[in-house]
Amino acid sequence: MIEVSNLAVTFRNGGRPVHAVRGVSFSVAEGETFGIVGESGSGKSTVLKAVAGLCATAGPSLTINGAAMGAKRSKAERRLMQFVFQDPYGSLHPRQTVDDMLREPLLIHGVTGVDAKVAEALADVGLEPQHRFRFPHQLSGGQRQRMAIARALILRPRILLLDEPTSALDVSIQAEILNLLSRLRRGYQLTSILVSHDLAVVAHLCSRIAIMQQGLLVEMLDVESLRRGQAKEAYTLELIAASRGYARAGQVTGSLLPAGKGSDMAGLARAVAVESRPGPSQGSGRD
Amino acid sequence: ETPTDTLVIAKNIDDIITLDPAEAYELTGIEVVTNMYDRIMRFEPTDINKLVPGVAESYAASDDGKTITFKIRKGMTFASGNPVTAADAAYSLQRVVKLDKTPAFLITQLGWSKDNVDQMVTAPDADTLKITITEDFSPSLVLSLMSSVVASVVDMQTVKAHEVDGDMGYAWLKSNSAGSGAYTLKAWKANDSVVLEANPSYRGGLPAMKRVVIKHVPEPAAQRLQIEKGDIDIARDLTGDQVAGIAGNKDIVVNTIPQATLYYVGLNLKFKPFQDVRVRQAMHYLVDYDGMVNSFLKGSMKVHQSFWPSGFWASLDENMYTFDPAKAKALLAEAGYPDGFAVELDAQNSSPGANIAQSIQSTMAQGGIKVTIIPAEQKTLLTKYRARQHQMLLVYWGPDYMDPHTNADSFARNPDNSDSPKSKPLAWRNSWDIPEITKMTDAAVRERDTAKREQMYKDLQKKVMEEGPFIIMFQDTKQVAERANVKNFVMGPSADVVYFNLTTK
Amino acid sequence: MTGSLRQWLASDQPASRRQAVLGNLARGAKAIITNPAALTGLLIVIALLIVALFAPLIAGRISPIAQDLAARLAPPSSAHWFGTDELGRDIYARTVHGARVTLTIVMLVAVFVAPIGLAVGTAAGYLGGWVDALLMRITDIFLAFPRLVLALAFAAALGPGIENAVIAISLTAWPPYARIARAETVTIARSDFIAAVVLQGAASARILFRHIVPLCLSSVIVRLTLDMAGIILTAAGLGFLGLGAQPPTAEWGAMVSSGRDVILDQWWVATIPGLAIFIVSLGFNLLGDGLRDVLDPKNA
Amino acid sequence: MSEPPLIEVEDLNVSFPGRGGLTRAVRGASFSLGRERLGIVGESGSGKSTTGWALLGLVPRPGIVTARRMSLSGTDLLSLGESDWQSLRGRRMSMVMQDPKYSLNPVLRVGRQIQETYRLHHRSSAAEARRHALAMLEAVRIRDADQVFHLYPHQLSGGMGQRVMIAMMLIAEPDLLIADEPTSALDVTVQNQVLRILDDLVTVRGMGLIFISHNLTIVSSFCDRVLVMYGGRIVEECKADELDRAKHPYTRALIRAAPSLASYQPELSVVVRDPEWLA
Amino acid sequence: MAGGTEMKGLAAGRPAFAVVRRFAAFLGSLLLTFLGLTAVTFGIGRFIPVDPVLAVVGDHATRAVYDKTYLAMGLDRPVPVQYLIYLRKLVSGDFGQSVMTSRPVLSDLMQFFPATFELATIATLIGVIIGVPAGVTAGALKGRWPDHLVRIVGLFGYSMPVFWLGLVGLFVFYGKLGWVSGPGRLDVAYDDIVTSRTGIILVDSLIEGEWAVFRNAIAHLILPAGILGYFSLAYIARMTRSFMIEQLSQEYVVAARVKGRSFWGAVWHHAFPNIMVALITVIGLSYASLLEGAVLTETVFAWPGLGLYITHSLFNADMNAVLGGTLMVGAVFIGVNLLCDLLYKIFDPRLRTQ
Ligand SMILES: Nc1ncnc2c1ncn2[C@@H]1O[C@H](COP(=O)(O)OP(=O)(O)OP(=O)(O)O)[C@@H](O)[C@H]1O
Ligand SMILES: Nc1ncnc2c1ncn2[C@@H]1O[C@H](COP(=O)(O)OP(=O)(O)OP(=O)(O)O)[C@@H](O)[C@H]1O
Ligand SMILES: [Mg+2]
Ligand SMILES: [Mg+2]
């Protein structure tokens, strides 16, 4: 369904080129949920945005349903895939009500029966009719993210791109959203790509997981290997270890670490070395 | 407090654009030139009503009146030390004609041109200046012209020394002086000040005020504060209300001096209703002359309705019109405008024009005439006026020299009413086509019998007052506020007769 | 009745779009009313509106243009509450009627400045590239122009009169608005919710007008209310130079300037319209501050 | 040990008057703390941060703080004047905030910001303060401390920024550190390093630590004791390693709601809120 | 200004090239701005309903004189040609002659600008020295009485017409109290004591050590500068206040207090440095607008400044002077912008990296 080959994205940061994504290839089958994890600034969001056509890529590197996609897309191509953003506070227009925002895509595409469709979309994501005329600031974070999902799904896309949909939410809300997503994914037979830095979240939803580091796709795992900790790359192992919680000094880290494959401390030392190098930070996209 | 040997005058001087006597034609410019240059004929500060020889000592006209011979005063020197000779005088006049700047017409109307002026104006010897005219002008008019700003005598040697590319010192003399007057120019800083210094070799003796500073103070209220504080000696631009405000101040004396400037409304005959003389007369009855003069114009204007200001030879002082809406209505009804009409009045945007216009607007409404005021900057107003694009236009007019011909030439003469005439007198600007009256004016200027000539001008004034497209309303009077210790600041009816050299304090 | 209306408005579960919109207006209004400074501003502006609308009633039968040269420059008294001016006109009546002119100026400028500034700023900010470069260069030229020269030149070219003064002021006033709108657009255009609309397939025009402009509008409106005093005073400045309202129209700026000759003896002629300007700009400023607080989503 | 506990709080209430009436952010919280790691967990808006602010006397206007007792090593905090607070803050207790990007002054060099804390509490020369600051940077395991000293916050990565912040807050060697979600803006890998530093501080220096987070995995593995807050109340207090045996239904629901890498459950359990919990 | 248009080219990556390109782009935009300024001004010259010839020859001139002057001023040529001629002269540094002052426009500007500069600088200093602390205080104490006081006082300055304030100020401080000197730049007695080097009397008198002149100049300057300063104070205080409110809600301010900083310490040592960039913009803009010359103030105080000069020239259709003045103001504006850019980099390290 989605075929990404040798995707490269370069930004220009005040004249200085930033190679955010440097040749990433993967494919996602119809109905599959594909996960991407990696540290901050590794290019996860950028990959998603490139797939969505939100940023220019170097050369043709993307086919969807067999059709090559450029950065400029037609309305119909747009309708094919939708996006849910990380920040539920920034992805909703602050001066539009839920109703306005849900109507907008329907109006753009000239869909009829707007009112009924809006009501249906709200029900789908578990929002009450009373939320329909609220502004974003009158909604909680979880409700906002539901709203964003409703907006993404109201056009019945085939592909859903999720950029850390729960990382701004706390655990209890995260659970609700994750449940909602797995339900909808089944109901609508969506193909999706999920980006997160939380391995547990990715493992919960995805069947295959890509690990990114500094713009490169360093490793690809299926969920079973991930759960078992059968990774090759030190970095992946480190991620897995960290998601187990904090290992106090002298305490043995969970059994997930296979013997001889480097230890928590080794990874730490390397990370310290990387971190301590003074110089301009990568600066995350949010600002 | 001002220094004892310095006279400080506050005035709006933003009209100065040059201090060259061949070019200066703005009130402040002429005033400054008057104090820097002696003229062939002049009004002495000791008696500003009498035209007397200046640089000349005496004059004699030929029998046909076409040639006048002046004898130059002996022993005079310019501020530079050079002697004043007839050659200087001749050069000065020739220079004016050859440069042909704005005021040149004052003497070119005598029939002088670039080509003939060297023959018409000559200095046969160091003491004799001989001028010949080709036009039929009465000698008294010619003598008047020899007292105008263009008859200022410049120091030929000095000017020639500053000549660039044969410009006769034009570039230099704009902001320098080369005269034999009471003062020399120390500095002219545009929009700031003019500073004059006493000329020790002046024939009238060294002035008491060693320095005269004319400060640019555009805001009258600021002038008032300054004179009250004693930071200036003379305030020139106080309004009537401000003068009233300082009435009780013993340190300040206010002198009222009638000026030759007239305020009038021009009625353009291109605007249909004004073509009927009854409408024009009706308009005259719809102005509250006395009301204005007794209120906001108090002290700064007096009612005067003929085109030659009172206080001068041949002026007609009877006023025909008073504010009389009933009479106006009757006249308008007769002319076929019982309900009046709507008309635009262009007026100056600052006082007193703005207030006069509003008063006219209000009183004309009583006659059914709906006036819309279009305020404008003076220059905008004049541009429109000269293009004859107004309907009614409130403006002022100052004579160019002290002979009634200057105003008659403008108010009562329109030789060519076509759209591009040789000159644009006021009659033309108001589309007043008057072959008859033009002839009368031409006759008056030729008349050599003074009494007869006077009568002719009075008749002309009457005629214009009755029929003309001019609602002449006021004659300007200047109120000059002086510190009580200032004595003998001489100010006449025009800028040609403002003298600093007798002033003491 | 009022109680149920209040409940209907205050409901956090509106049943219809209309109720939602009205409810939001009501909440905004309440926020302004409960803020003393904003309320003062609002009351002043309302008072100005009332005075402007009902000027003939409020001024009584006194005409703002009737001259009485005999009673000129009279101090405030029971006959003339605010005294009379240099042509004997009643300053009270002129001040009251002047509210109309002032309001006209203010509203007309608003009508010109906001759209020009918004259009230029948002287009430049959203479209970027050469459009941005070109529009911003033009903005810079206008910004680098001596403002009064520009205003005077336009006023002089168009001829005096309120409308032309308004055009002249607007032409000089829009560049800062364009700058604000552009800066805001640049940040808004980068935001996720705009990306969301892009992904839905909306065309540029739709994005600009339905999504970006409404967001810039509030800061433009706020800035506009804060600029009101400046606008009135610029108009007054033009009036001072003879390019404002035409006489005998009562316009506060022109009234102040015509009273300046007598300011030392008859203070009221210039001071009273001056105070009127002060109070009105105070009103607009307070209201503007209040509006900013209300419109700012952070404070909602 | 006769030493009084580091912190004693009894019946702490914090409320904010606002447009919609009074918001009660903290309701009757009581706890005490020794030289240990105390975790506070709870969902967003449950009053975790507000509790921290109250301890520092920095509840923003117009918040109202009341308590029956609030003391630091026996010093009554409730009766302190502003200048007493100032000498207390930074010196006796301090706070590390969630996001170094917003909590470091963007226009000042980090070295200066670290020194500042020291010089606010110690009369010292610039050179001495600098020496201390450099030592502190090294203590939080920043190599090339000399260079980092001269950088501006925007030149630091998130992990480095967080360490700088810790250095800045600890240079005056406070007895108590409140860490308000100090790692949630960080990558998992960096997160561990920061935790390690905090850990050392408690174990080596004997500092008291209040660790605020909503990440149960971290809290349970890192802290000694855990307070669970819900709606401004402390609904549960237990030992960290006994968290899986928690009694309060909210705590239990919270634990179950998190997906786990180790095991897959198709449907995550959702916290069903019971109004009773607030009673 | 420096938008940094995106360029996709090989050269883009090479730093030396980039610097050259940036500089060229900057020069280009500068040139464009000046071209735009002159073109618009030239257009205005055609628009205003004043006959430029009339301004020279006066109302009473004859047709012949008028025509001659018309030709001499080159007005018979098509406007674009006139514009090109003007530009060509400009390139050789010739701004033309002013009709109103009969002098080269350049020397006029050299006379009028220092007066304006002196006034604007002192006024801005007053605005900054009082306005910034007032704004900071108001912002820090938002909603309390110092805030209200600053806002009301500021608003008063914002709303009172300058000619009203100017005249009343003269009346009170000059007329009644005698604390300051009246209109003009110097008393007559002090004229011509110091030679004009910079045209800025304060500086000139200091150079020659003429303290009496210096004192007198101050006495004249203080009131108009105070009144203009009041305006810029009102504006600066208001903007400072809102910047301050914004910054005080930032977390680093709280962090500073956690460290043990007092409230005011956090305000001045932490929040304040962060509003510098925005503040510089505001101050720069208000300074630039004062440098344009304040016509009304200059009128009331008989201050021979640029505003009066340009306005007066405009009303007399003295286009050379207006063009020269406009270019001067444009240059000042651009200069102030550049200065601001420079200062930004000093005050905000985040802007330094490029
Ligand atoms: N619009 C942009 N302009 C310049 N650089 C950008 C832009 N967007 C992203 N980058 C840079 O590209 C790199 C990858 O960014 P991206 O947002 O894809 O990372 P991420 O993996 O999603 O990180 P995070 O976990 O923080 O969201 C980063 O170095 C970022 O600074
Ligand atoms: N300055 C304030 N004014 C009004 N209400 C406030 C203020 N600060 C906090 N609150 C309210 O107090 C309550 C507790 O807030 P607090 O920040 O302590 O929650 P938290 O547990 O730290 O949440 P999070 O995990 O999101 O940081 C919330 O309902 C919040 O809305
Ligand atoms: Mg991302
Ligand atoms: Mg918190």
Side-chain angles (χ1 to χ4, degrees), chain B residues 219-221 224-225 228 239 241-242 245 288 291-292 295-296 349 351 355 358-359 361-362 372-377, chain C residues 65 67 69-70 72-73 86-87 89 94 156 160 240-243 245-248 260-266:
Chain B
E219 188 64 32
R224 175 184 158 183
L225 284 171
E228 282 182 317
T239 65
D241 290 317
Q242 283 161 351
D288 189 1
M292 285 190 260
S295 58
F296 60 89
N349 55 27
S351 68
N355 282 342
Q358 293 189 62
S359 172
Q361 180 185 45
S362 144
T372 307
I373 299 173
I374 304 178
E377 252 301 290
Chain C
I65 58 168
Q67 301 178 4
L69 292 178
R72 63 192 295 271
L73 297 175
E86 70 282 0
L87 291 174
R89 297 173 294 203
R94 286 180 72 70
F240 180 69
L241 294 162
L243 295 166
Q246 287 172 16
R260 74 187 196 280
D261 278 352
V262 294
I263 198 167
L264 304 183
D265 295 306
Q266 288 87 21

Side-chain angles (χ1 to χ4, degrees), chain C residues 148, chain E residues 116 120 228 288-296 298 305-308 329:
Chain C
L148 204 68
Chain E
T116 292
L228 283 182
S289 73
L290 283 182
L291 284 174
E292 274 179 39
V295 187
L296 303 180
E298 287 171 6
L306 198 59
L308 214 54
V329 171

Side-chain angles (χ1 to χ4, degrees), chain E residues 4-308:
Chain E
T5 45
E6 283 210 31
M7 261 218 202
K8 295 171 189 89
L10 290 171
R14 300 225 297 272
F17 233 88
V19 167
V20 171
R21 209 195 62 216
R22 283 180 80 84
F23 191 68
F26 169 74
L27 274 186
S29 73
L30 211 68
L31 219 65
L32 224 69
T33 308
F34 276 124
L35 269 181
L37 277 176
T38 50
V40 174
T41 317
F42 224 85
I44 287 173
R46 299 297 111 192
F47 258 122
I48 55 169
V50 180
D51 184 343
V53 182
L54 201 61
V56 188
V57 301
D59 187 27
H60 297 206
T62 58
R63 175 72 181 260
V65 173
Y66 182 96
D67 289 347
K68 206 180 68 171
T69 314
Y70 183 82
L71 290 179
M73 292 171 81
L75 293 170
D76 53 325
R77 316 238 196 144
V79 178
V81 175
Q82 290 180 38
Y83 179 57
L84 287 179
I85 292 174
Y86 179 80
L87 282 186
R88 212 178 53 211
K89 283 192 179 163
L90 205 60
V91 171
S92 60
D94 179 6
F95 282 64
Q97 279 249 329
S98 159
V99 169
M100 302 315 303
T101 64
S102 301
R103 293 199 307 173
V105 168
L106 205 57
S107 40
D108 274 353
L109 292 177
M110 290 304 134
Q111 180 201 323
F112 289 103
F113 184 68
T116 292
F117 180 82
E118 190 172 40
L119 190 57
T121 306
I122 302 287
T124 302
L125 279 180
I126 293 176
V128 170
I129 289 171
I130 304 177
V132 170
V136 168
T137 311
L141 300 179
K142 185 188 178 201
R144 292 195 249 168
W145 70 263
D147 181 24
H148 294 309
L149 183 75
V150 169
R151 284 171 74 192
I152 297 287
V153 170
L155 266 181
F156 192 80
Y158 231 55
S159 344
M160 259 355 225
V162 65
F163 43 88
W164 188 91
L165 271 181
L167 286 173
V168 170
L170 270 181
F171 179 63
V172 173
F173 296 108
Y174 166 62
K176 287 286 165 236
L177 301 172
W179 291 355
V180 302
S181 294
R185 293 179 76 187
L186 275 183
D187 281 345
V188 171
Y190 297 99
D191 269 348
D192 298 322
I193 292 182
V194 296
T195 43
S196 172
R197 285 165 222 264
T198 59
I200 302 162
I201 295 179
L202 292 184
V203 175
D204 288 340
S205 57
L206 278 184
I207 290 176
E208 298 191 8
E210 290 287 352
W211 288 101
V213 176
F214 183 79
R215 268 197 304 275
N216 189 254
I218 288 276
H220 278 272
L221 188 59
I222 198 72
L223 189 59
I227 282 169
L228 283 182
Y230 185 18
F231 282 87
S232 75
L233 176 163
Y235 177 60
I236 290 173
R238 146 164 234 129
M239 298 309 285
T240 308
R241 172 182 180 270
S242 72
F243 297 148
M244 204 66 207
I245 290 173
E246 165 101 28
Q247 286 303 319
L248 285 178
S249 70
Q250 300 291 317
E251 237 166 69
Y252 68 82
V253 177
V254 184
R257 300 211 60 202
V258 169
K259 290 199 263 182
R261 267 278 181 207
S262 65
F263 175 68
W264 289 109
V267 165
W268 281 107
H269 294 278
H270 286 269
F272 187 69
N274 278 280
I275 70 171
M276 283 309 272
V277 166
L279 206 55
I280 286 166
T281 313
V282 162
I283 293 170
L285 277 178
S286 104
Y287 188 38
S289 73
L290 283 182
L291 284 174
E292 274 179 39
V295 187
L296 303 180
T297 313
E298 287 171 6
T299 306
V300 169
F301 290 98
W303 200 266
L306 198 59
L308 214 54

Side-chain angles (χ1 to χ4, degrees), chain C residues 2-246:
Chain C
T2 50
S4 70
L5 175 66
R6 194 174 300 158
Q7 264 173 20
W8 184 76
L9 282 175
S11 163
D12 59 352
Q13 308 179 2
S16 66
R17 313 193 71 185
R18 199 159 53 95
Q19 185 183 359
V21 169
L22 290 176
N24 276 316
L25 282 180
R27 267 186 289 277
K30 191 168 165 227
I32 288 195
I33 287 170
T34 48
N35 173 344
L39 182 64
T40 315
L42 184 69
L43 288 181
I44 292 176
V45 172
I46 289 176
L48 173 72
L49 278 171
I50 291 176
V51 167
L53 277 178
F54 303 106
L57 282 178
I58 292 169
R61 270 186 283 119
I62 315 166
S63 157
I65 58 168
Q67 301 178 4
D68 178 4
L69 292 178
R72 63 192 295 271
L73 297 175
S77 66
S78 59
H80 300 286
W81 292 357
F82 294 166
T84 61
D85 70 3
E86 70 282 0
L87 291 174
R89 297 173 294 203
D90 184 74
I91 294 179
Y92 171 68
R94 286 180 72 70
T95 308
V96 167
H97 281 266
R100 288 189 160 187
V101 182
T102 300
L103 206 65
T104 315
I105 291 176
V106 159
M107 297 220 282
L108 284 178
V109 169
V111 162
F112 276 104
V113 165
I116 300 180
L118 270 175
V120 172
T122 52
Y126 185 67
L127 299 175
W130 66 267
V131 179
D132 185 21
L134 180 75
L135 289 179
M136 281 301 111
R137 189 77 23 242
I138 293 174
T139 309
D140 273 347
I141 290 174
F142 272 83
L143 213 54
F145 225 92
R147 280 184 55 146
L148 204 68
V149 167
L150 201 58
L152 282 178
F154 276 103
L158 301 168
I162 306 175
E163 301 82 3
N164 294 338
V166 163
I167 293 176
I169 296 171
S170 307
L171 280 172
T172 56
W174 67 265
Y177 289 81
R179 280 257 177 121
I180 295 179
R182 178 181 178 275
E184 239 173 77
T185 303
V186 168
T187 39
I188 293 171
R190 268 198 237 131
S191 67
D192 287 348
F193 61 86
I194 294 299
V197 193
V198 172
L199 286 174
Q200 286 155 3
S204 288
R206 188 183 184 94
I207 295 171
L208 263 184
F209 290 110
R210 286 189 49 118
H211 298 270
I212 293 180
V213 166
L215 279 177
C216 300
L217 198 60
S218 70
S219 66
V220 164
I221 286 178
V222 167
R223 160 100 198 220
L224 204 56
T225 59
L226 297 179
D227 271 359
M228 285 305 165
I231 291 168
I232 298 174
L233 291 181
T234 311
L238 285 180
F240 180 69
L241 294 162
L243 295 166
Q246 287 172 16

Side-chain angles (χ1 to χ4, degrees), chain B residues 12 23 42 51 56 64-65 81 98 136 167 177 179-180 182 184 199 211 227 256 267 269 280 300 315 345 396 490 497:
Chain B
N12 185 335
E23 193 185 23
R42 61 183 265 153
L51 185 64
D64 63 355
K98 287 176 181 163
D136 239 352
D167 73 345
S177 67
S180 55
T184 58
N199 171 13
R211 211 154 68 108
I227 190 135
T256 304
L267 308 171
L269 266 60
R280 301 203 290 267
S300 61
S315 74
L345 169 63
Y396 57 83
V490 179
V497 278

Side-chain angles (χ1 to χ4, degrees), chain A residues 11 18 20 39-46 86 164 282-284:
Chain A
F11 292 109
V18 178
E39 64 185 357
S40 179
S42 59
K44 308 180 296 287
S45 302
T46 308
Q86 167 175 11
E164 315 213 19
Q282 302 105 328
S284 97

